[in-house]
Amino acid sequence: MKSDISGFHKLSVKKRLKVVGEFSSLSKDDLNVLKHNSALGELANKMIENVISTTQLPLGIATNFRINNKDYLIPMAIEETSVVAAASHAAKLARPAGFTAESDEPVMIGQIQLTGIKNADLAKKKILDRKKEIMKRLENKDSILVKLGGGLKDLEIREIDSARGKMIIVHLIIDVRDAMGANAVNTYCEAIAPFLEEITGGRSVLKIISNLAVHRLVRATATWKKEVLDEALIEGMLDAAAFAGADKFRAATHNKGVMNGVDAVLIATGNDWRAVEAGAHAYATTTGEYLPLTWYEKNKRGDLVGHIELPMAVGIVGGITSIHPVAKVSLKILQVKTSRELGELAACVGLANNFAALRAMVKEGISKGHMKLHATNIAASVGAHDDEIDAVAKRLVAEGNITMNRAHEILKQMRIEMTKENIEKILHIKKRNGKNGKKKKKNK
Ligand code: MEV
């Protein structure tokens, strides 16, 4: 069969599923898995194209978070074991003070690329001379945004040397308030591009948001008292953080641990986590080297103080945040009032996960903490159900052999024992009730 299926997008979800089933020889059981409904229901087919089903992630709650003197329960959507528990534990150890966080205004950058410019200095001057007029033209581009205090705030001009010659890049600096902002920013860029072409005689090629949201940074910090970590652990964690500061191979993994927490909050709330990921990693290279997004120091008392800073383009209105039923409830659980507050929480969770990962690795190695949940996943993946999952996982951990093969054997053995036990129970009941199995009537 060929994959160039004409009109696939026009088919109903059911028919698309049938086509895919035939193409990939899916079994009835496979198809039933995909038919299984989710909280998204019919909405899924409206959100993206060519939908055949939905996929799900566990939604966990990180407890113990106290941020800027307010307590939060934080929804995290993630498939990786230990991340929710690690964030909760780090937040617990940071109590009672908890985290402090602050952020910049929700300002994004939109880029308009101008090529074919003969005299870059002259073009820049022409744009600058008419800056007021440009700003005026865009003044009411998004009247709702403006009403809320947002809209175009400034315009900057950059000149870059590219493989295809000099280019002028105009940056629109736009306050997007409580939205992530991509739609608004792109609309502004597209609206002004023809006028910029007219002024400069250049050609506008790209008109698009930049995910390196350097004007929308979030900073958070927390202090873990020396009484909850010991001296040697603090020294080890400082060494571990210094390793990331001096080596990009380690920094990448260090930052992955940070983004474990950040992304989980963003996914739970329906935010564009790829945009934040892209911004975070680009921001990590600001100095020209790839650096960690968090850093640690010891204060005068000897406590460990952790810091995080990263761009955070997140929204609580518009996009999927206002459509996805689980995202909507997650935002309700958080009770955040602004996009800035949500970004601050996500940064705190990122710091918490990074702290927890360093602590675990310095203290005992990461595998020990992962072991129980890993065993639970293995048990579920070999087909254990309900109570069986815990029982199989427990034996895997006790034996220190967490493999699919062993899980299979244990489950098989367990079921044989259960069947034996059940047969014995039935025989016992039958014996008690007489040969024909019916309960003897008691003589009155
Ligand atoms: C695993 O998801 C994350 C860690 O590798 C992070 C780190 O090494 O800092 C444990």
Side-chain angles (χ1 to χ4, degrees):
M1 268 177 95
K2 288 188 170 178
S3 65
D4 57 344
I5 305 160
S6 101
F8 186 76
H9 67 286
K10 288 188 202 149
L11 299 178
S12 65
V13 172
K14 211 169 151 193
K15 283 198 178 133
R16 279 185 213 132
L17 194 52
K18 191 166 175 283
V19 173
V20 175
E22 281 163 13
F23 184 95
S24 304
S25 313
L26 298 184
S27 68
K28 223 175 176 177
D29 284 349
D30 297 330
L31 291 172
N32 278 336
V33 168
L34 295 176
K35 275 182 202 156
H36 189 80
N37 218 350
S38 75
L40 217 44
E42 289 298 308
L43 262 177
N45 197 27
K46 307 241 177 324
M47 281 166 71
I48 66 162
E49 310 73 36
N50 294 357
V51 166
I52 58 161
S53 182
T54 55
T55 184
Q56 283 130 39
L57 286 174
L59 184 72
I61 292 286
T63 53
N64 302 318
F65 272 87
R66 186 159 180 79
I67 300 169
N68 295 339
N69 294 322
K70 189 173 156 194
D71 274 47
Y72 293 92
L73 289 179
I74 304 191
M76 297 175 77
I78 188 162
E79 81 298 344
E80 187 175 329
T81 53
S82 299
V83 173
V84 178
S88 304
H89 190 55
K92 186 174 184 176
L93 296 181
R95 285 179 84 92
F99 297 74
T100 51
E102 46 130 12
S103 53
D104 300 335
E105 293 291 329
V107 170
M108 298 298 291
I109 297 170
Q111 297 191 294
I112 301 141
Q113 175 196 20
L114 296 168
T115 62
I117 303 236
K118 297 209 174 66
N119 183 337
D121 288 337
L122 186 64
K124 278 197 277 185
K125 187 175 174 314
K126 281 181 176 172
I127 299 172
L128 271 185
D129 286 348
R130 301 182 76 175
K131 179 171 168 181
K132 264 199 188 138
E133 193 183 338
I134 297 170
M135 304 273 296
K136 182 98 189 128
R137 280 179 181 238
L138 290 175
E139 197 174 54
N140 260 321
K141 186 73 215 136
D142 189 328
S143 52
I144 297 176
L145 203 54
V146 173
K147 218 187 222 167
L148 294 168
L152 181 64
K153 297 295 170 193
D154 202 0
L155 174 155
E156 291 164 358
I157 309 165
R158 295 171 53 225
E159 183 184 328
I160 59 166
D161 279 317
S162 80
R164 289 174 60 85
K166 273 201 193 323
M167 292 173 186
I168 295 289
I169 312 296
V170 176
H171 279 192
L172 298 184
I173 311 295
I174 302 168
D175 186 327
V176 296
R177 295 285 91 195
D178 286 323
M180 181 272 180
N183 289 338
V185 170
N186 296 341
T187 308
Y188 274 77
C189 292
E190 283 170 12
I192 205 63
F195 188 54
L196 292 173
E197 286 185 344
E198 197 183 308
I199 297 174
T200 59
R203 191 166 84 87
S204 69
V205 186
L206 298 190
K207 311 128 187 126
I208 192 84
I209 193 166
S210 166
N211 287 125
L212 179 50
V214 287
H215 301 303
R216 203 176 184 180
L217 298 180
V218 175
R219 290 162 288 272
T221 180
T223 299
W224 285 275
K225 290 258 161 63
K226 64 176 184 219
E227 289 77 11
V228 299
L229 310 167
D230 62 59
E231 178 88 35
L233 183 54
I234 290 179
E235 290 302 321
M237 289 176 73
L238 287 169
D239 285 343
F243 177 16
D247 178 48
K248 67 180 173 192
F249 290 93
R250 174 57 207 151
T253 321
H254 179 105
N255 287 344
K256 190 272 181 184
V258 171
M259 299 313 285
N260 272 347
V262 174
D263 288 344
V265 177
L266 303 190
I267 295 169
T269 55
N271 269 283
D272 184 348
W273 53 276
R274 284 93 52 214
V276 176
E277 278 277 345
H281 296 292
Y283 188 66
T285 66
T286 304
T287 60
E289 277 178 72
Y290 183 83
L291 294 176
L293 296 162
T294 62
W295 64 100
Y296 293 83
E297 59 186 331
K298 202 157 69 166
N299 67 13
K300 279 190 193 135
R301 234 190 129 255
D303 307 325
L304 185 69
V305 186
H307 306 271
I308 184 168
E309 181 178 83
L310 76 166
M312 192 64 82
V314 294
I316 58 165
V317 294
I320 294 312
T321 47
S322 327
I323 296 172
H324 196 300
V326 177
K328 289 202 283 187
V329 179
S330 291
L331 284 170
K332 266 193 182 169
I333 295 172
L334 284 171
Q335 298 177 12
V336 286
K337 302 276 185 298
T338 62
S339 62
R340 287 173 68 180
E341 189 182 355
L342 176 62
E344 288 165 12
L345 299 195
C348 291
V349 178
L351 177 59
N353 274 112
N354 175 246
F355 165 89
L358 296 185
R359 179 178 172 274
M361 286 186 296
V362 172
K363 215 175 156 178
E364 55 192 9
I366 205 77
S367 339
K368 197 172 167 215
H370 269 107
M371 213 132 80
K372 191 172 169 296
L373 283 166
H374 178 55
T376 306
N377 279 347
I378 295 276
S381 71
V382 298
H385 296 293
D386 307 322
D387 292 350
E388 289 174 344
I389 296 179
D390 268 352
V392 173
K394 229 180 192 167
R395 274 180 63 181
L396 289 172
V397 174
E399 292 175 9
N401 179 12
I402 307 175
T403 58
M404 299 265 275
N405 264 352
R406 185 62 194 135
H408 255 304
E409 285 168 8
I410 295 174
L411 183 63
K412 208 168 139 191
Q413 186 62 34
M414 214 177 244
R415 285 183 175 164
I416 292 170
E417 278 160 20
M418 278 297 284
T419 314
K420 263 194 205 157
E421 235 175 70
N422 283 342
I423 292 171
E424 271 162 22
K425 255 188 216 158
I426 292 165
L427 289 178
H428 178 74
I429 292 168
K430 278 194 172 168
K431 203 169 154 194
R432 202 183 57 202
N433 294 347
K435 256 188 204 162
N436 58 9
K438 279 190 189 146
K439 213 170 183 176
K440 278 181 198 164
K441 273 189 188 157
K442 270 187 193 164
N443 288 333
K444 285 189 181 165

Coordinates of all heavy atoms in Angstrom, one line a residue, residues 245-295:
G245 N 28.9 24.0 34.5 CA 29.3 25.3 34.1 C 30.6 25.3 33.3 O 30.9 26.3 32.6
A246 N 31.3 24.2 33.3 CA 32.6 24.1 32.6 C 32.6 23.1 31.4 O 33.6 23.0 30.7 CB 33.7 23.8 33.6
D247 N 31.4 22.5 31.2 CA 31.5 21.4 30.2 C 30.1 21.3 29.5 O 29.1 21.0 30.2 CB 31.8 20.1 30.9 CG 31.8 18.9 29.9 OD1 32.4 19.0 28.9 OD2 31.2 17.9 30.3
K248 N 30.0 21.5 28.2 CA 28.7 21.5 27.6 C 28.1 20.1 27.5 O 26.9 20.0 27.4 CB 28.8 22.2 26.2 CG 29.6 21.4 25.2 CD 29.6 22.1 23.9 CE 30.6 21.4 22.9 NZ 30.9 22.2 21.7
F249 N 28.9 19.1 27.6 CA 28.3 17.7 27.5 C 27.5 17.5 28.8 O 26.4 17.0 28.8 CB 29.4 16.7 27.4 CG 30.1 16.7 26.1 CD1 31.2 17.4 25.9 CD2 29.5 16.0 25.0 CE1 31.8 17.4 24.6 CE2 30.1 16.0 23.8 CZ 31.2 16.7 23.6
R250 N 28.0 18.0 29.9 CA 27.3 17.9 31.2 C 26.1 19.0 31.2 O 25.0 18.7 31.7 CB 28.3 18.1 32.4 CG 27.6 18.2 33.7 CD 26.8 16.9 34.1 NE 25.7 17.3 35.0 CZ 24.6 16.7 35.2 NH1 24.2 15.7 34.4 NH2 23.7 17.2 36.0
A251 N 26.4 20.2 30.7 CA 25.4 21.2 30.8 C 24.1 20.8 30.0 O 23.0 21.1 30.5 CB 26.0 22.5 30.1
A252 N 24.3 20.1 28.9 CA 23.1 19.6 28.2 C 22.2 18.7 29.1 O 21.0 18.9 29.1 CB 23.5 18.9 26.9
T253 N 22.8 17.8 29.8 CA 22.1 16.9 30.7 C 21.5 17.7 31.9 O 20.4 17.4 32.3 CB 23.0 15.8 31.1 OG1 23.8 15.4 30.1 CG2 22.2 14.6 31.6
H254 N 22.3 18.5 32.4 CA 21.9 19.4 33.6 C 20.6 20.2 33.2 O 19.6 20.1 33.9 CB 23.1 20.3 33.9 CG 22.8 21.3 35.0 ND1 23.4 21.2 36.2 CD2 22.1 22.5 35.0 CE1 23.1 22.2 37.0 NE2 22.3 23.0 36.3
N255 N 20.7 20.8 32.0 CA 19.5 21.6 31.5 C 18.3 20.7 31.1 O 17.2 21.1 31.3 CB 19.9 22.4 30.3 CG 20.8 23.6 30.7 OD1 20.8 23.9 31.9 ND2 21.4 24.3 29.8
K256 N 18.6 19.4 30.7 CA 17.5 18.5 30.4 C 16.8 18.3 31.7 O 15.5 18.2 31.7 CB 18.1 17.2 29.9 CG 17.1 16.2 29.3 CD 16.5 15.3 30.4 CE 15.5 14.4 29.7 NZ 14.8 13.5 30.7
G257 N 17.5 18.1 32.8 CA 16.8 17.9 34.1 C 16.0 19.1 34.5 O 14.9 19.0 35.1
V258 N 16.5 20.3 34.2 CA 15.7 21.5 34.5 C 14.4 21.5 33.7 O 13.3 21.7 34.2 CB 16.5 22.8 34.1 CG1 15.6 24.1 34.2 CG2 17.8 23.0 34.9
M259 N 14.5 21.2 32.4 CA 13.4 21.2 31.5 C 12.4 20.1 31.8 O 11.2 20.1 31.4 CB 13.8 21.2 30.0 CG 14.7 22.4 29.7 SD 14.1 24.0 30.2 CE 12.7 24.3 29.1
N260 N 12.8 19.0 32.5 CA 11.9 18.0 32.9 C 10.7 18.6 33.7 O 9.6 18.3 33.5 CB 12.6 17.0 33.9 CG 13.3 15.9 33.2 OD1 13.1 15.6 32.1 ND2 14.1 15.2 34.0
G261 N 11.1 19.5 34.6 CA 10.1 20.2 35.4 C 9.3 21.2 34.7 O 8.1 21.3 34.7
V262 N 10.1 22.1 34.0 CA 9.4 23.2 33.2 C 8.4 22.6 32.2 O 7.3 23.0 32.2 CB 10.5 24.1 32.5 CG1 9.9 25.1 31.6 CG2 11.5 24.7 33.5
D263 N 8.9 21.7 31.4 CA 8.0 21.2 30.3 C 6.8 20.5 30.9 O 5.7 20.6 30.3 CB 8.8 20.1 29.5 CG 9.8 20.8 28.6 OD1 9.8 22.0 28.4 OD2 10.7 20.1 28.1
A264 N 7.0 19.8 32.0 CA 5.8 19.0 32.6 C 4.7 20.0 33.0 O 3.5 19.7 32.8 CB 6.3 18.2 33.8
V265 N 5.1 21.2 33.5 CA 4.1 22.2 33.8 C 3.5 22.8 32.6 O 2.2 23.0 32.5 CB 4.7 23.3 34.7 CG1 3.7 24.4 35.0 CG2 5.3 22.7 36.0
L266 N 4.3 23.0 31.6 CA 3.8 23.6 30.3 C 2.9 22.7 29.6 O 1.9 23.1 29.1 CB 5.0 24.0 29.4 CG 6.0 25.0 30.0 CD1 7.0 25.5 29.0 CD2 5.3 26.1 30.7
I267 N 3.2 21.4 29.6 CA 2.3 20.4 28.9 C 1.0 20.3 29.7 O -0.1 20.3 29.0 CB 3.0 19.0 28.8 CG1 4.2 19.2 27.9 CG2 2.1 18.0 28.2 CD1 5.2 18.0 27.8
A268 N 1.1 20.3 31.0 CA -0.2 20.2 31.8 C -1.1 21.4 31.5 O -2.3 21.2 31.5 CB 0.2 20.1 33.3
T269 N -0.5 22.5 31.3 CA -1.3 23.7 31.1 C -1.5 24.1 29.6 O -2.0 25.2 29.3 CB -0.7 24.9 31.8 OG1 0.7 25.1 31.3 CG2 -0.7 24.7 33.3
G270 N -1.2 23.1 28.7 CA -1.5 23.3 27.3 C -0.6 24.4 26.6 O -0.9 25.0 25.6
N271 N 0.6 24.6 27.2 CA 1.5 25.6 26.6 C 2.5 25.0 25.6 O 2.7 23.8 25.6 CB 2.3 26.3 27.7 CG 1.6 27.5 28.2 OD1 1.6 28.6 27.6 ND2 0.9 27.4 29.4
D272 N 3.0 25.9 24.7 CA 3.9 25.4 23.7 C 5.3 25.2 24.3 O 6.1 26.1 24.3 CB 3.9 26.5 22.6 CG 4.8 26.1 21.4 OD1 5.5 25.1 21.5 OD2 4.7 26.8 20.3
W273 N 5.5 24.0 24.7 CA 6.8 23.7 25.4 C 8.0 23.7 24.5 O 9.1 24.0 24.9 CB 6.7 22.4 26.2 CG 6.2 21.2 25.4 CD1 4.9 20.9 25.1 CD2 7.1 20.3 24.7 NE1 4.9 19.8 24.3 CE2 6.2 19.4 24.0 CE3 8.4 20.1 24.6 CZ2 6.7 18.3 23.3 CZ3 8.9 19.1 23.9 CH2 8.0 18.2 23.2
R274 N 7.7 23.5 23.2 CA 8.8 23.5 22.2 C 9.4 24.9 22.1 O 10.6 25.1 22.0 CB 8.4 23.0 20.8 CG 8.2 21.5 20.7 CD 6.8 21.0 20.9 NE 5.8 21.7 20.2 CZ 4.6 22.0 20.6 NH1 4.3 21.6 21.8 NH2 3.8 22.7 19.9
A275 N 8.5 25.9 22.2 CA 8.9 27.3 22.1 C 9.8 27.6 23.3 O 10.8 28.3 23.1 CB 7.7 28.2 22.0
V276 N 9.4 27.2 24.4 CA 10.1 27.5 25.6 C 11.5 26.7 25.6 O 12.5 27.3 26.0 CB 9.3 27.2 26.9 CG1 10.1 27.4 28.2 CG2 8.1 28.1 26.9
E277 N 11.4 25.5 25.2 CA 12.7 24.7 25.0 C 13.7 25.4 24.1 O 14.8 25.6 24.5 CB 12.4 23.3 24.4 CG 11.9 22.3 25.4 CD 13.0 21.6 26.2 OE1 14.1 21.7 25.7 OE2 12.7 20.9 27.2
A278 N 13.2 25.8 23.0 CA 14.0 26.5 22.0 C 14.6 27.7 22.6 O 15.9 28.0 22.5 CB 13.3 26.8 20.7
G279 N 13.8 28.5 23.3 CA 14.3 29.8 23.9 C 15.3 29.5 25.0 O 16.3 30.2 25.1
A280 N 15.0 28.5 25.8 CA 15.9 28.1 26.9 C 17.3 27.8 26.4 O 18.3 28.3 26.9 CB 15.3 27.0 27.8
H281 N 17.3 26.9 25.4 CA 18.7 26.4 25.0 C 19.4 27.5 24.2 O 20.6 27.6 24.4 CB 18.5 25.1 24.2 CG 18.0 24.0 25.0 ND1 18.7 23.4 26.0 CD2 16.8 23.4 25.0 CE1 18.0 22.5 26.6 NE2 16.9 22.5 26.0
A282 N 18.7 28.4 23.5 CA 19.3 29.5 22.8 C 19.9 30.5 23.9 O 21.0 31.0 23.8 CB 18.4 30.2 21.9
Y283 N 19.1 30.7 24.9 CA 19.5 31.6 26.0 C 20.7 31.1 26.7 O 21.6 31.8 27.2 CB 18.3 31.8 27.0 CG 18.6 32.9 28.0 CD1 18.7 34.2 27.6 CD2 18.8 32.6 29.3 CE1 19.0 35.2 28.5 CE2 19.0 33.6 30.3 CZ 19.1 34.9 29.8 OH 19.4 35.9 30.8
A284 N 20.8 29.7 26.8 CA 21.9 29.1 27.5 C 23.3 29.4 26.8 O 24.3 29.2 27.3 CB 21.7 27.6 27.6
T285 N 23.2 29.9 25.5 CA 24.4 30.1 24.8 C 24.7 31.6 24.7 O 25.5 32.0 23.9 CB 24.3 29.6 23.3 OG1 23.3 30.3 22.7 CG2 23.9 28.1 23.3
T286 N 24.0 32.4 25.5 CA 24.1 33.9 25.4 C 25.6 34.4 25.4 O 26.0 35.3 24.7 CB 23.4 34.6 26.5 OG1 22.0 34.1 26.5 CG2 23.4 36.1 26.4
T287 N 26.4 33.7 26.2 CA 27.8 34.2 26.3 C 28.7 33.7 25.2 O 29.9 34.0 25.1 CB 28.5 33.7 27.6 OG1 28.4 32.3 27.6 CG2 27.8 34.2 28.8
G288 N 28.1 32.8 24.3 CA 28.9 32.2 23.3 C 29.2 30.8 23.6 O 29.6 30.0 22.8
E289 N 29.1 30.4 24.9 CA 29.3 29.0 25.3 C 27.9 28.5 25.8 O 27.1 29.3 26.3 CB 30.2 29.0 26.5 CG 31.7 29.0 26.2 CD 32.5 29.0 27.4 OE1 32.6 28.0 28.1 OE2 33.0 30.1 27.8
Y290 N 27.7 27.2 25.7 CA 26.5 26.6 26.2 C 26.6 26.4 27.7 O 27.4 25.6 28.2 CB 26.2 25.3 25.5 CG 24.8 24.7 25.9 CD1 23.6 25.1 25.3 CD2 24.8 23.7 26.9 CE1 22.4 24.6 25.7 CE2 23.6 23.2 27.3 CZ 22.4 23.6 26.7 OH 21.2 23.1 27.1
L291 N 25.8 27.1 28.5 CA 25.9 27.1 30.0 C 24.6 26.6 30.6 O 23.6 26.5 30.0 CB 26.2 28.5 30.5 CG 27.5 29.2 30.0 CD1 27.6 30.6 30.5 CD2 28.7 28.4 30.5
P292 N 24.8 26.2 31.9 CA 23.6 25.7 32.6 C 22.6 26.9 32.9 O 23.0 28.0 33.0 CB 24.1 25.2 34.0 CG 25.6 25.5 34.0 CD 26.0 26.1 32.7
L293 N 21.3 26.5 33.0 CA 20.3 27.5 33.2 C 20.1 27.8 34.7 O 19.4 28.7 35.1 CB 18.9 27.0 32.7 CG 18.9 26.8 31.2 CD1 17.7 25.9 30.7 CD2 18.8 28.2 30.5
T294 N 20.8 27.0 35.5 CA 20.7 27.2 37.0 C 22.2 27.3 37.5 O 23.1 26.8 36.9 CB 20.1 26.0 37.7 OG1 20.9 24.8 37.5 CG2 18.6 25.8 37.3
W295 N 22.3 27.9 38.7 CA 23.6 27.9 39.3 C 23.4 28.0 40.8 O 22.3 28.3 41.3 CB 24.5 29.1 38.8 CG 24.0 30.5 39.1 CD1 24.4 31.3 40.1 CD2 23.0 31.2 38.4 NE1 23.7 32.4 40.1 CE2 22.8 32.4 39.0 CE3 22.2 30.9 37.3 CZ2 21.9 33.4 38.6 CZ3 21.2 31.8 36.9 CH2 21.1 33.0 37.5

